[in-house]
Amino acid sequence: MSEPAPHPPRRERERLRHRQEILDAALRVCATRGVEGVTVEHVAREAEFAVGSIYRHFRSKDELLKELVAVLADRYFQELDALVCGPLPYPEKLQAAVNLLYDRHVESLPLIAALYAAPGPMPAPGTPGAEELRALRQRQWAILDKLLAEGQALGGLAPGNRAPMVLALTGLVTSFARAEGSGLDYGGDPAADVLAIFLSGCSTS
Amino acid sequence: MSEPAPHPPRRERERLRHRQEILDAALRVCATRGVEGVTVEHVAREAEFAVGSIYRHFRSKDELLKELVAVLADRYFQELDALVCGPLPYPEKLQAAVNLLYDRHVESLPLIAALYAAPGPMPAPGTPGAEELRALRQRQWAILDKLLAEGQALGGLAPGNRAPMVLALTGLVTSFARAEGSGLDYGGDPAADVLAIFLSGCSTS
Amino acid sequence: MSEPAPHPPRRERERLRHRQEILDAALRVCATRGVEGVTVEHVAREAEFAVGSIYRHFRSKDELLKELVAVLADRYFQELDALVCGPLPYPEKLQAAVNLLYDRHVESLPLIAALYAAPGPMPAPGTPGAEELRALRQRQWAILDKLLAEGQALGGLAPGNRAPMVLALTGLVTSFARAEGSGLDYGGDPAADVLAIFLSGCSTS
Amino acid sequence: MSEPAPHPPRRERERLRHRQEILDAALRVCATRGVEGVTVEHVAREAEFAVGSIYRHFRSKDELLKELVAVLADRYFQELDALVCGPLPYPEKLQAAVNLLYDRHVESLPLIAALYAAPGPMPAPGTPGAEELRALRQRQWAILDKLLAEGQALGGLAPGNRAPMVLALTGLVTSFARAEGSGLDYGGDPAADVLAIFLSGCSTS
DNA sequence: CATGAATGAGCATTCATTCAT
DNA sequence: TATGAATGAATGCTCATTCAT
C-alpha cells in the first residue's frame, strides 16, 4: 500500500542514537568509578536503559568497552591527523601537536590505556585487548612519524632514526600529563616544557 | 634447665621461606595473568599451598599484593639511592642511573605501577592504594631530585626548576622501556638514547 | 497513545510473590536447621531460586532475616494490640490475650527471639540486632502494659507497679510454650494454667 | 631402677589442670564474644596453648563446649540439690532456692541455654545437643519437683499436679533474670517478686 | 525492540581439624 | 605431650549473561 522506505531510516537513526547514549553513559561511568569498577548494570542505569537492552547493542560488556575506546581513539586520531596534515608552519605545528597530545592525555587517553593496558610494558600477546592496543599504538606512531618527518625536512629536527623521537615525544607528554592528573603543579607550563625538552634537552649548552 | 630456643629458629626460617614463596608465586601470577587477574586461588596453586595457608601469612589478598609491591619497591629504591649517593663522577653517574631506571622499569616497576595505578592519571585520593602510590612516587622523586641537583652543580645540567627534569627523565625511561617490553626493537640503544635526548633533545645543533 | 501501565502491575505482583516465597522458604529453613544454621544457599534451594536471585530481593542475608522477623513480629503485634484495644470484658480479655501469646510463642516468637537474641540475657548493645530486639521487646511491653492497666482498673489486678506483672506474664507463657514445644504434655491446659497461676499463684488459699 | 609410681600422679594432675585451664578460657571467650563467636583459636590463645593442644584434651570443639556446659551444670545442680535436700525450714528454703535459681540464671544458665537451645521451643530431636539439653532439663526438673513436693507437704503449696508449678517457677525466674540481664531495673527486688507472684499471683484478694 | 528477573560460576575469606616436628 | 603451619570445605556475595514477557 505504501513504500516501506521512509520508515527504516527513522528506526535506524533511533537505534544509532541509543547506541551512542549507551557509549556516553559508559564513558561517564568509567570516569566516576574507574574502568575496573564498571558493571553492565551501572552503565544501564546511567543510560536509563534496561540491562538486557545493552546486549541488544553490544554482544558483551567487553565489546562495549572496546567500542568505547575505538570511538574515543578515532576522534583523537582524526584530530591529530588533521593537525599533522594541516597547513601550519613548522615550529607552530609541532607545538600545536604537543598541546593536543597533552590535552588528550589528560582527558581520554588514560581511559584508552586503562582499557587495554595493564599498565606496565604491554599486555602479553594473546591477552585480550593486546591486539587492539597494538593497533592503536601503531596508528599513533604513524601519525607522529609523519609529523616528525616533516620536522626533519623543515623544522630543525635532527635527521636519522625517528623511532626514538616518537618514543621521546609520547613519553614526555605522558609523564607531564600524569603529573598534572595527579595534582602536581610544579609552577611551569607543561606543554611548553615538553616541547622545550623534546627539542633541546635539559643540559646547558 | 635447657632453653627451648634451638628449635624456633627453624620454624621461623621455614615460615619466612614459605612467605617468600607465596610472594614469588604472586609475582609470577601477576606476570602471566595481569594484576587484575590475580586470584588468591591462583596464587595458592602457583605456590603449591592451600588457599587457607595464604591467609596465615597475609591478612588479605590486598595486603599480600601491597607487601609484594613494598618488597620490590624497596629493593629498587635502595639500589637507586645507593647509586645516586655513590662516588661515581657525573656523566657516568647519570648514565648509570638511567640504566638502572631502565632495567627496573622493564622488570618490576610496571608491576608496581599496575598494582597501585589504575593506569591513567592516578588513583583518586581515597582509592585503596592511592596513598601508597603517592608515597612511592615521592620517594622516587626525592632520589632523582638529588641526582639532578648534583648534575646542576657538577654535571652541566641547566639550572633552575628541577621538577620538569624529573618528569622528563621518568617519562623518557618509561616510554622506551614500554616499547622494549612490547617487543619493539627500533635498532638503537634505548638507555643511551634516553640519556642523549634527556640532555640534548631531538633538534639539530 | 496507549499507556504502558497494564503490564507493570503484573511484573510487580510477580516480584512481590517471589519475595514472599523467599521469606517463606527462609522461615522453613529456620524451622528445620535453626537460625544459626541458615545459609543463603539453603534458602535459595528451598525457595527454588538461584543464590543470586535472593540478592535481587534482599541486600544481604542479614537483611533477609531481619525482614522475616519484622513481618512475623508485625503480624503478631497487630493481632495482640487489636485484642487488647478490643471490646472484650475483662476476665475474658486477659484469657484471650494469654491464649494468643501462648499460641504465637509456640509458633513464631521463638524464631523472633532466636534471630535477635543470642539466648541468654540479651545481645550486648552494639551487637547486630540488639537494637531491633530492644524495639520488639519495647513494643510488646507497651501492649501488655496497656492490657494490665485495664486489668488494674476493671479486672481485679493488684494495683501498683505493673513491671513485674509484665515480666511474670511473659515468663509464664514462655515457659509453658517451651514445654509444649519440647513435647512435654503434663496433662493440663497450659493457657488456662498460665492464667490461673498468673492471677493466684501456686499456694493454697 | 626406680618405681614408676610417683610420677604418673603428677603427670595426671598437670594434665587435669591444663584441661581445666582450657575450660576456663573457653568460658571467658564465651562471655566476651558470645557462644557463636567462639573459635578454637580464640580459646587456644586465651588459654595460652597451641591450637593442637586443645585437641589433645577434647576430641572436638563441640565436645569442649559440651564439657563446659556439663561442668557448669553440674556445679549448679549440686548446689541446688544440696539446698533442696538441706535442713532449711520451708518458706526460707523456697526463697533460698529462688535466689539461687535467679543468681545462676543471670550468670551461667544463659550460656547453658545458648549452647544447647536455639532459644525457642527446643532443638528438634535429632539436632546436635538436643539430647543433652533434655537431660539437663530433666535433672533440674527432678530437683525442683522434690522442692515443690516438700512444699506441698509442709509449705502451703497447693496439692495436685506439680508440673505446672515447676514450669511456672522456672518461667518466672528466667523472665526476671533476662530483664536484669538486659539492663532493666524496674525498682523492685526480682527474687522476692518472683517468689511472691509464684505463691500468690497478681490479682488482689 | 525493550525489559529486568533469574541464573550460576567465581571470588575473598573463615575455621574446625590434622599432622610433621 | 605440645606446637602451630597446612588444609580445604563452606559461606556470603558479585556480576556478566540469558530469556520469557
Side-chain angles (χ1 to χ4, degrees):
Chain A
M1 284 204 172
S2 66
E3 337 75 305
H7 260 310
R10 180 147 63 85
R11 279 277 175 109
E12 198 58 23
R13 244 180 301 131
E14 194 92 318
R15 183 174 170 73
L16 271 166
R17 195 162 51 73
H18 288 176
R19 185 186 170 88
Q20 193 53 49
E21 281 173 22
I22 293 171
L23 284 170
D24 292 347
L27 183 56
R28 287 196 300 277
V29 175
C30 281
T32 50
R33 320 185 70 108
V35 190
E36 303 295 334
V38 175
T39 73
V40 176
E41 192 150 330
H42 288 147
V43 175
R45 210 176 331 263
E46 177 75 26
E48 299 188 284
F49 278 102
V51 185
S53 307
I54 305 290
Y55 284 85
R56 292 268 152 206
H57 292 277
F58 303 92
R59 231 191 293 278
S60 69
K61 177 191 169 183
D62 209 63
E63 191 176 275
L64 161 58
L65 292 179
K66 278 181 183 156
E67 176 81 16
L68 181 57
V69 168
V71 167
L72 291 176
D74 226 71
R75 203 179 290 165
Y76 159 67
F77 285 138
Q78 278 177 17
E79 232 178 341
L80 186 59
D81 201 41
L83 198 158
V84 166
C85 298
L88 239 51
Y90 208 66
E92 285 81 12
K93 179 181 284 193
L94 188 53
Q95 179 71 64
V98 167
N99 290 344
L100 182 60
L101 243 70
Y102 186 80
D103 290 348
R104 288 309 167 268
H105 252 280
V106 174
E107 284 168 28
S108 56
L109 270 194
L111 172 68
I112 297 179
L115 284 173
Y116 285 126
M122 266 275 190
T127 303
E131 234 20 79
E132 285 89 347
L133 181 53
R134 208 168 295 272
L136 291 182
R137 299 206 132 204
Q138 197 84 11
R139 204 165 151 198
Q140 169 163 281
W141 188 285
I143 301 178
L144 292 181
D145 193 65
K146 198 181 346 168
L147 174 71
L148 297 181
E150 188 183 345
Q152 289 180 320
L154 312 171
L157 280 191
N161 191 349
R162 280 188 302 278
M165 300 186 193
V166 172
L167 290 175
L169 191 56
T170 56
L172 290 170
V173 166
T174 304
S175 184
F176 280 74
R178 271 185 83 107
E180 166 157 345
S182 37
L184 175 77
D185 179 6
Y186 68 90
D189 172 353
D193 286 344
V194 163
L195 186 58
I197 295 177
F198 174 69
L199 290 176
S200 317
C202 295
S203 65
T204 53
S205 80
Chain B
M1 286 215 166
S2 72
E3 338 71 309
H7 261 311
R10 182 146 60 86
R11 275 273 173 110
E12 198 60 20
R13 244 180 304 131
E14 193 99 315
R15 184 176 171 75
L16 271 165
R17 193 161 54 74
H18 290 174
R19 185 189 169 88
Q20 194 54 50
E21 280 173 25
I22 292 170
L23 284 170
D24 292 348
L27 184 57
R28 287 195 302 275
V29 175
C30 281
T32 50
R33 320 185 72 104
V35 190
E36 303 294 335
V38 175
T39 286
V40 176
E41 189 153 330
H42 288 149
V43 175
R45 218 188 312 274
E46 176 74 27
E48 299 189 283
F49 279 104
V51 188
S53 306
I54 306 292
Y55 285 87
R56 182 160 294 278
H57 291 275
F58 303 92
R59 237 191 288 280
S60 67
K61 175 189 166 182
D62 208 63
E63 193 177 273
L64 162 58
L65 293 179
K66 278 184 181 153
E67 175 83 17
L68 182 57
V69 167
V71 166
L72 292 176
D74 228 70
R75 202 180 292 165
Y76 160 66
F77 284 138
Q78 277 177 18
E79 229 177 345
L80 185 58
D81 201 41
L83 198 159
V84 166
C85 297
L88 241 52
Y90 210 69
E92 286 79 12
K93 181 181 282 193
L94 188 54
Q95 179 70 65
V98 167
N99 289 344
L100 182 59
L101 244 70
Y102 186 80
D103 290 348
R104 289 309 167 269
H105 253 279
V106 173
E107 284 168 29
S108 55
L109 269 195
L111 172 70
I112 297 179
L115 283 173
Y116 283 129
M122 265 271 189
T127 303
E131 229 23 75
E132 284 89 346
L133 180 54
R134 207 167 295 272
L136 291 182
R137 301 205 130 201
Q138 196 86 6
R139 205 166 152 197
Q140 168 161 282
W141 188 285
I143 300 178
L144 293 181
D145 194 65
K146 201 182 344 171
L147 174 71
L148 297 182
E150 189 183 345
Q152 289 181 320
L154 312 170
L157 280 192
N161 192 350
R162 281 187 301 277
M165 300 186 193
V166 173
L167 290 176
L169 191 56
T170 55
L172 290 170
V173 166
T174 304
S175 185
F176 280 74
R178 274 184 79 110
E180 165 157 345
S182 38
L184 175 76
D185 178 6
Y186 66 92
D189 172 353
D193 286 345
V194 163
L195 187 60
I197 295 178
F198 174 68
L199 290 175
S200 316
C202 296
S203 64
T204 54
S205 83
Chain C
M1 289 218 167
S2 73
E3 341 70 308
H7 263 310
R10 182 146 60 87
R11 276 273 174 112
E12 197 61 21
R13 246 179 302 132
E14 194 99 315
R15 184 177 170 74
L16 271 166
R17 193 160 55 73
H18 289 173
R19 185 188 168 89
Q20 194 54 50
E21 281 173 23
I22 293 170
L23 284 170
D24 293 347
L27 184 56
R28 286 195 301 276
V29 175
C30 281
T32 50
R33 319 185 74 104
V35 191
E36 303 294 334
V38 174
T39 287
V40 176
E41 189 151 331
H42 288 147
V43 175
R45 218 188 310 275
E46 175 75 28
E48 300 189 282
F49 279 105
V51 187
S53 307
I54 306 290
Y55 285 87
R56 183 161 294 280
H57 292 276
F58 303 92
R59 237 191 289 278
S60 67
K61 175 188 167 184
D62 208 63
E63 192 177 274
L64 162 57
L65 293 179
K66 278 184 181 152
E67 175 83 15
L68 181 57
V69 167
V71 166
L72 293 175
D74 227 70
R75 202 180 291 164
Y76 159 66
F77 285 137
Q78 278 177 18
E79 231 178 343
L80 185 59
D81 201 41
L83 197 159
V84 167
C85 296
L88 239 53
Y90 209 70
E92 285 80 11
K93 178 181 283 192
L94 188 53
Q95 179 70 65
V98 167
N99 289 344
L100 181 60
L101 243 69
Y102 185 80
D103 290 348
R104 288 309 166 270
H105 252 280
V106 173
E107 285 168 28
S108 56
L109 269 193
L111 173 68
I112 296 178
L115 283 172
Y116 284 129
M122 265 273 190
T127 303
E131 230 22 76
E132 284 90 345
L133 179 55
R134 209 168 293 272
L136 291 182
R137 301 203 130 204
Q138 197 86 6
R139 206 167 152 196
Q140 168 162 283
W141 188 285
I143 300 178
L144 293 181
D145 193 65
K146 203 183 341 171
L147 173 71
L148 297 181
E150 189 183 346
Q152 288 180 320
L154 312 170
L157 281 190
N161 191 350
R162 281 187 302 277
M165 300 186 193
V166 172
L167 290 175
L169 191 56
T170 56
L172 290 170
V173 166
T174 304
S175 185
F176 279 75
R178 273 185 81 110
E180 165 156 346
S182 38
L184 175 78
D185 179 6
Y186 66 91
D189 171 354
D193 286 344
V194 163
L195 186 60
I197 295 178
F198 174 69
L199 291 176
S200 316
C202 295
S203 66
T204 54
S205 85
Chain D
M1 280 210 172
S2 66
E3 336 74 305
H7 260 312
R10 181 148 61 86
R11 279 277 175 107
E12 196 60 22
R13 245 179 303 129
E14 193 95 318
R15 183 173 171 73
L16 271 167
R17 195 163 51 73
H18 289 177
R19 186 186 169 88
Q20 193 54 50
E21 280 173 22
I22 293 170
L23 285 170
D24 292 347
L27 183 56
R28 288 195 300 277
V29 175
C30 282
T32 50
R33 321 184 71 107
V35 189
E36 303 294 335
V38 174
T39 73
V40 176
E41 193 151 330
H42 288 147
V43 175
R45 197 153 12 238
E46 177 75 28
E48 301 188 282
F49 277 102
V51 185
S53 308
I54 306 290
Y55 284 85
R56 292 265 151 208
H57 292 275
F58 303 93
R59 230 193 295 278
S60 69
K61 177 191 170 184
D62 209 63
E63 191 178 274
L64 160 58
L65 292 179
K66 278 182 182 155
E67 175 80 15
L68 180 57
V69 168
V71 167
L72 292 176
D74 226 69
R75 202 179 292 166
Y76 158 68
F77 285 138
Q78 277 176 19
E79 231 178 341
L80 186 58
D81 201 40
L83 198 160
V84 166
C85 298
L88 240 51
Y90 209 69
E92 286 80 11
K93 179 181 283 193
L94 188 54
Q95 180 69 65
V98 167
N99 289 345
L100 182 61
L101 244 69
Y102 186 81
D103 290 347
R104 289 308 167 269
H105 253 280
V106 173
E107 285 168 29
S108 56
L109 271 193
L111 172 69
I112 297 178
L115 284 172
Y116 285 126
M122 266 274 189
T127 302
E131 232 21 78
E132 284 88 346
L133 181 54
R134 209 168 294 271
L136 291 182
R137 300 206 130 204
Q138 197 84 10
R139 203 164 153 200
Q140 169 163 281
W141 188 285
I143 300 177
L144 293 181
D145 193 64
K146 199 182 344 169
L147 173 72
L148 298 181
E150 188 183 345
Q152 288 180 321
L154 313 170
L157 280 191
N161 192 348
R162 280 187 302 277
M165 299 186 193
V166 173
L167 290 176
L169 191 57
T170 56
L172 290 170
V173 166
T174 303
S175 184
F176 280 74
R178 272 185 82 107
E180 167 157 343
S182 37
L184 176 77
D185 178 6
Y186 66 91
D189 171 355
D193 286 345
V194 163
L195 186 60
I197 296 178
F198 174 69
L199 291 175
S200 315
C202 295
S203 66
T204 55
S205 84

